[in-house]
Amino acid sequence: MSPRTSQSNQKIRELRRDQILHAALKVFAYKGLKAAKIADIAAQADISQGLIHHYFLCKEDVFTAVVERAMTGALAAFDDLAGVDSDPLERLTIIT
């Protein structure tokens, strides 16, 4: 078995971060920021709390990353609609 490359390590880090953010989105949506705990996110992602802290300092940092990801997606959707000739309701439907 050959050792992992820096590229494969980076891919693993990206996948793990995505896993955490996906789980966090579910937890925050269900419990809200105040009630959610790192332990809840870890349980949802089926990983240890320590691993989450390897990627994020605190729950608020996880929440910020979730919101940034959502905003990036929304902005991309707006960009995709820049040249689309449709009514405003249809555009809103596409965005959401």
Side-chain angles (χ1 to χ4, degrees):
M1 179 181 281
S2 61
R4 290 190 290 204
T5 65
S6 61
Q7 287 178 329
S8 64
N9 285 336
Q10 180 62 30
K11 183 70 173 171
I12 291 168
R13 284 190 294 271
E14 290 171 6
L15 290 172
R16 184 66 71 189
R17 189 173 191 279
D18 287 344
Q19 178 186 9
I20 293 167
L21 293 178
H22 183 72
L25 177 62
K26 289 181 179 181
V27 171
F28 290 135
Y30 182 72
K31 292 190 167 194
L33 175 60
K34 187 174 181 179
K37 295 179 174 40
I38 290 290
D40 299 327
I41 298 168
Q44 180 68 40
D46 196 29
I47 59 174
S48 71
Q49 294 179 48
L51 187 56
I52 293 176
H53 286 294
H54 178 75
Y55 289 87
F56 301 96
L57 293 175
C58 61
K59 172 179 72 171
E60 288 76 12
D61 287 347
V62 179
F63 184 76
T64 299
V66 168
V67 171
E68 285 175 348
R69 175 183 272 189
M71 292 302 298
T72 300
L75 291 173
F78 281 117
D79 288 344
D80 290 345
L81 290 175
V84 174
D85 186 29
S86 60
D87 68 276
L89 180 59
E90 185 179 347
R91 289 181 193 174
L92 186 59
T93 302
I94 292 169
I95 291 169
T96 57

